Amino acid sequence: MAGEAENEKPGAAERPDDELRLGDLVVLMVEPGPFTVVELDPPVVTIESPYGQRRQVKEVALRRVTGEPPVNT
């Protein structure tokens, strides 16, 4: 059984699913809209809006978007 678990997700033990990566789409509660992770320097993450605005926030304030991105109107 141990061999089956290892084959299910290669590298799963190396990288937790909740770890942010460059290019991830994220949201934060203080501003509407999705942002893209452009730089990682834990615990600080630099994010960029679709309009080119960048800001640095703590990693714990971000949540990765796993489905379709929200639509801004």
Side-chain angles (χ1 to χ4, degrees):
M1 283 205 280
E4 291 175 18
E6 291 174 10
N7 291 332
E8 286 178 19
K9 277 188 153 181
E14 299 168 11
R15 179 172 291 209
D17 286 340
D18 60 345
E19 189 173 304
L20 292 175
R21 291 171 232 152
L22 291 177
D24 278 351
L25 195 61
V26 296
V27 293
L28 67 156
M29 297 301 290
V30 296
E31 276 190 53
F35 294 85
T36 303
V37 175
V38 293
E39 187 177 327
L40 291 167
D41 187 20
V44 177
V45 177
T46 303
I47 57 174
E48 185 174 348
S49 76
Y51 308 107
Q53 297 171 323
R54 287 187 176 204
R55 67 181 297 168
Q56 292 183 323
V57 296
K58 291 197 175 188
E59 187 174 10
V60 297
L62 300 172
R63 298 295 177 262
R64 187 174 45 221
V65 176
T66 56
E68 287 294 315
V71 176
N72 287 338
T73 57

